[in-house]
Amino acid sequence: MGTKYQAFHRRSIEDRDAFWSEQAQLVDWHKPFGQVLEYNKPPFAKWFVGGETNLCHNAVDRHLKDRAQQPALIYISTETGEEKTYTYAELHAEVQRMAAVLQSLGVGKGDRVLIYMPMIAEAVFAMLATVRIGAIHSVVFGGFAASSLATRIDDAQPKVMITADAGMRGGKAVPYKHLVDESLRLAQTPAAKVLIVNRGLDKAMSLVAGRDLDYATLRAQHMDTQVPVTWVESSHPSYILYTSGTTGKPKGVQRDTGGYAVALAASMRHVYQANPGETYFATSDIGWVVGHSYIVYGPLINGMATVVYEGTPLRPDAGIWWKIVQDYKVTVMFSAPTAIRVLKKQDPAFLRKYDLSSLRHVFLAGEPLDETTAQWIAEALDKPIYDHYWQTETGWALLTGLPGVEAHATKFGSPSFPAYGYDVRLLHEETAAEVAPNEKGVVAVMPPLPPGCMSTVWGQDERFVQTYFTSFRDKLIYTTFDWGTRDEDGYYFILGRTDDVINVAGHRLGTREIEEAISAHDAIAEVAVVGVADQLKGQMPMAFAVVKDAARIATPELSAALEKEVMAKVDSLLGAIGRPKRVHFIAQLPKTRSGKVLRRSIQAIAEGRDPGDLTTLDDPSGIQMVKAAVDGK
Ligand code: ATP
Ligand code: MG
């Protein structure tokens, strides 16, 4: 760990106000803030108190002076074949049209707008238009089941919902508006109006008179309407966003305005080393926190062009992302381990087909980045790869490489160091004492949380404190609910979630450790390990693995032989204590729509229990495969 980074990080904690006051200069303030931090009601932190600003102004308007004709939003759909670049001037015009339409529907400061849209440019206009007029958006990932959408409608009570007739995935239309209809039937609080961007993909779409409105028609009435930004106090909520629901009921994260703008602006410089005028490509979706921070707000606040991509990484072929990098001279890329594992199953020649000289580095976040995947992508691209650890709650990286602060070596399997502003500790789960190097502890943050992190749980201050700040006895400390270690050099390693620990005859093993060992077998593409109740040992690990080549498990004999090999691999890397009771080979793991393995449901099925809430599931067949494997079918 370099001295420059150390000094930078130390200053962010020890001279906090001066540090963040400097970072705050990276954004525009309509009225300067009086106090950097108000922290008289821990753990509630208010950043840049008294300052007035606006997210949309910082993302759009303030660039008009220097970059009106530069690209701001690059929309690419490999599903419909559309490809269109909006300059900052054009983005400004479109956002004002959308804002004017929202105002005409009675939306004003503090009102909620629920956005349920596919990855189209209008989804970004909708987000920017909402914050422009001081309203609060709640973007719900497109494709969530009607019941999940209904819960979020009831939570936010939106004045307007914005949707599209349909999205497209893998060449098939996915109805959106139809789901909105269904969710409004289920919800207790019907939205007043539903604004529809009609792409002409769902010919069967029906409209409810008086409630449903066609966006194109209303837009045409506001082509030249000017909508000045509504200045809001720094802690005015900008949006509500739910966590992924991997461990249970999603939590509605509330974000502020000023702190978030500053955090994102600072991260573009210190974390991503991304410069104005360049192109940023995050392969996520606007329905997730990565989409909010690094498809929409971060790159635009930084005066960059951002790529909004509708499509899969495999169509028309597995080279599409790298073609985008080449065509638009992408300098910084942000993706997820799950996507890289998908590419890993394809011909690596696709990665060498395009000119990737513009690309500086790639950040991967959302779940553990196993060593084999990290190594594969680092070698295939020949670019630095940064494992990047954060949460919906934090809004930006918590543990990460910081090439913008100081170049440093990365270690496979490690998201490197705490980002500035985070006073990270590894704490013993019971005593709350700091653990020694290489000892397992809960990844925790001493409050106040830095700018950009959640202000509270939407409408439930008590739940915010209860959920996140009561894990360590009477001490007010933020828990991430993840296990981690730190080595002698200061590198952190994430071992998995605190509820993903297996207790084998008194030995506590992280599921991640066993998964790493199994992934080290070269036949394995992907694996999930869960703990199942065992009469003798308390718990035993059970593995569900996807093989790279189905020929390896073509017959029961081959499959049994591979299972033995995998167990031997675990024995050699972890010792027999980590050896799974069974290694089941299945074609696909059950994942949430954000690509996270649903271990809680796998575990329930493996123990013969009910798998619980499956609404966040991407594709039900993964769960059926687990069930069939466990039942021995
Ligand atoms: P929920 O909180 O609703 O159960 P979730 O935790 O999956 O869902 P997110 O906020 O999307 O919701 O995910 C954050 C979590 O993802 C982290 O707490 C951690 O468990 C995992 N994660 C993110 N990045 C990494 C990483 N680089 N390495 C390991 N784990 C990661
Ligand atoms: Mg979580």
Side-chain angles (χ1 to χ4, degrees):
M1 172 166 22
T3 49
K4 224 167 136 187
Y5 158 78
Q6 273 179 333
F8 194 76
H9 185 268
R10 192 176 320 117
R11 180 156 180 263
S12 75
I13 304 297
E14 290 172 5
D15 199 4
R16 186 184 59 209
D17 288 9
F19 179 91
W20 284 112
S21 178
E22 269 167 36
Q23 304 305 322
Q25 306 315 311
L26 294 169
V27 305
D28 277 2
W29 295 90
H30 176 67
K31 183 178 160 218
F33 49 89
Q35 200 181 342
V36 176
L37 171 69
E38 184 187 292
Y39 194 56
N40 51 19
K41 209 180 124 206
F44 298 91
K46 282 188 175 169
W47 288 94
F48 310 115
V49 183
E52 284 180 11
T53 186
N54 181 288
L55 270 185
C56 182
H57 166 84
N58 276 292
V60 183
D61 301 50
R62 80 169 167 141
H63 302 306
L64 293 174
K65 191 162 67 65
D66 300 326
R67 336 188 160 271
Q69 301 315 318
Q70 287 184 20
L73 192 159
I74 299 162
Y75 171 57
I76 304 166
S77 172
T78 49
E79 299 287 347
T80 62
E82 281 164 274
E83 193 152 338
K84 177 165 180 180
T85 297
Y86 297 82
T87 62
Y88 270 97
E90 287 165 335
L91 179 61
H92 184 239
E94 289 297 348
V95 168
Q96 291 198 85
R97 288 167 194 149
M98 181 77 83
V101 170
L102 288 176
Q103 279 184 335
S104 75
L105 299 177
V107 178
K109 188 176 170 190
D111 290 335
R112 274 81 59 207
V113 174
L114 193 144
I115 299 172
Y116 182 73
M117 292 178 96
M119 287 290 285
I120 54 178
E122 286 82 356
V124 179
F125 305 158
M127 292 167 75
L128 291 167
T130 302
V131 295
R132 184 175 191 83
I133 57 175
I136 302 165
H137 58 67
S138 170
V139 182
V140 177
F141 177 69
F144 258 137
S147 58
S148 313
L149 185 53
T151 322
R152 286 155 177 74
I153 292 171
D154 286 337
D155 203 20
Q157 312 210 342
K159 204 161 206 173
V160 170
M161 288 176 67
I162 311 180
T163 188
D165 57 334
M168 269 186 91
R169 196 167 168 202
K172 274 191 266 168
V174 185
Y176 274 55
K177 163 63 170 58
H178 179 70
L179 246 112
V180 168
D181 292 341
E182 239 178 276
S183 67
L184 283 174
R185 270 194 289 276
L186 297 172
Q188 314 287 324
T189 43
K193 298 283 181 224
V194 178
L195 195 56
I196 303 150
V197 175
N198 192 347
R199 311 172 74 193
L201 296 174
D202 183 5
K203 300 279 188 275
M205 179 175 69
S206 60
L207 297 180
V208 175
R211 187 197 74 184
D212 295 351
L213 303 160
D214 178 49
Y215 178 62
T217 310
L218 294 178
R219 175 179 173 273
Q221 297 165 12
H222 292 284
M223 290 308 281
D224 300 313
T225 314
Q226 308 273 312
V227 181
V229 304
T230 300
W231 301 110
V232 297
E233 205 275 335
S234 180
S235 49
H236 180 72
S238 57
Y239 67 74
I240 310 165
L241 177 65
Y242 296 85
T243 60
S244 297
T246 311
T247 54
K249 197 166 179 279
K251 300 157 280 271
V253 166
Q254 176 181 321
R255 196 91 60 207
D256 73 349
T257 299
Y260 188 52
V262 171
L264 295 182
S267 73
M268 296 313 284
R269 181 174 290 199
H270 308 307
V271 179
Y272 302 103
Q273 224 181 0
N275 303 309
E278 297 178 349
T279 307
Y280 196 104
F281 179 20
T283 69
S284 183
D285 185 284
I286 51 150
W288 309 123
V289 68
V290 176
H292 282 63
S293 294
Y294 296 112
I295 293 176
V296 183
Y297 295 112
L300 293 176
I301 286 174
N302 201 33
M304 302 178 82
T306 185
V307 176
V308 175
Y309 175 67
E310 180 183 49
T312 75
L314 301 178
R315 274 167 56 98
D317 61 46
I320 179 61
W321 282 0
W322 318 111
K323 182 176 185 307
I324 291 173
V325 171
Q326 170 185 281
D327 291 356
Y328 293 98
K329 300 200 169 43
V330 171
T331 57
V332 181
M333 209 169 151
F334 191 135
S335 192
T338 183
I340 304 303
R341 283 194 285 268
V342 167
L343 293 176
K344 201 168 80 178
K345 290 185 217 158
Q346 309 292 317
D347 187 346
F350 284 117
L351 282 100
R352 284 180 225 112
K353 210 172 138 188
Y354 298 98
D355 175 8
L356 304 182
S357 55
S358 62
L359 190 63
R360 202 167 289 137
H361 40 221
V362 179
F363 290 79
L364 298 175
E367 30 153 9
L369 174 62
D370 59 280
E371 212 171 305
T372 28
T373 303
Q375 203 149 7
W376 179 83
I377 188 72
E379 278 166 19
L381 289 178
D382 195 22
K383 304 281 179 187
I385 305 295
Y386 293 101
D387 186 348
H388 209 36
Y389 166 86
W390 48 297
Q391 310 181 296
T392 308
E393 290 88 341
T394 65
W396 61 288
L398 201 167
L399 297 173
T400 182
L402 294 124
V405 176
E406 182 173 22
H408 61 83
T410 55
K411 291 190 185 186
F412 283 125
S414 166
S416 300
F417 318 124
Y420 47 90
Y422 290 97
D423 187 0
V424 179
R425 310 285 172 94
L426 291 176
L427 302 181
H428 188 279
E429 59 176 326
E430 271 145 29
T431 65
E434 286 195 59
V435 300
N438 297 312
E439 254 180 49
K440 197 183 295 180
V442 178
V443 181
V445 183
M446 300 306 283
L449 297 176
C453 291
M454 75 190 290
S455 329
T456 185
V457 173
W458 172 254
Q460 301 178 56
D461 283 352
E462 191 49 33
R463 184 165 174 218
F464 173 63
V465 182
Q466 276 303 320
T467 306
Y468 297 106
F469 292 91
T470 53
S471 287
F472 303 102
R473 300 185 168 188
D474 52 351
K475 298 189 187 117
L476 207 58
I477 303 173
Y478 176 83
T479 176
T480 61
F481 298 104
D482 289 309
W483 290 107
T485 58
R486 181 177 47 226
D487 70 8
E488 299 77 8
D489 304 325
Y491 286 79
Y492 281 74
F493 294 81
I494 298 294
L495 302 177
R497 302 181 185 250
T498 48
D499 53 3
D500 281 345
V501 165
I502 305 179
N503 195 332
V504 187
H507 299 270
R508 296 167 62 73
L509 299 164
T511 50
R512 165 128 194 226
E513 298 168 76
I514 306 173
E515 288 169 5
E516 280 282 346
I518 294 177
S519 300
H521 190 291
D522 59 14
I524 304 300
E526 232 182 333
V527 61
V529 168
V530 298
V532 293
D534 182 88
Q535 282 194 331
L536 220 56
K537 297 186 175 170
Q539 268 189 317
M540 282 281 285
M542 189 177 278
F544 295 84
V546 179
V547 291
K548 285 182 193 156
D549 176 4
R552 293 292 309 257
I553 49 166
T555 66
E557 293 72 31
L558 283 172
S559 183
L562 184 59
E563 181 172 9
K564 280 217 179 72
E565 276 183 37
V566 168
M567 288 181 173
K569 191 83 193 177
V570 177
D571 284 5
S572 72
L573 293 175
L574 281 183
I577 189 77
R579 185 197 305 158
K581 185 174 186 169
R582 285 295 316 270
V583 181
H584 294 290
F585 298 109
I586 56 179
Q588 182 193 323
L589 296 175
K591 289 186 183 176
T592 63
R593 290 169 190 270
S594 54
K596 291 159 189 263
V597 175
L598 260 186
R599 288 189 188 70
R600 69 175 155 89
S601 300
I602 301 180
Q603 184 189 36
I605 291 172
E607 291 186 336
R609 290 181 285 114
D610 181 77
D613 180 11
L614 295 177
T615 52
T616 58
L617 200 65
D618 187 34
D619 174 351
S621 53
I623 277 289
Q624 282 148 19
M625 287 175 199
V626 169
K627 198 159 181 343
V630 170
D631 294 346
K633 284 178 197 137

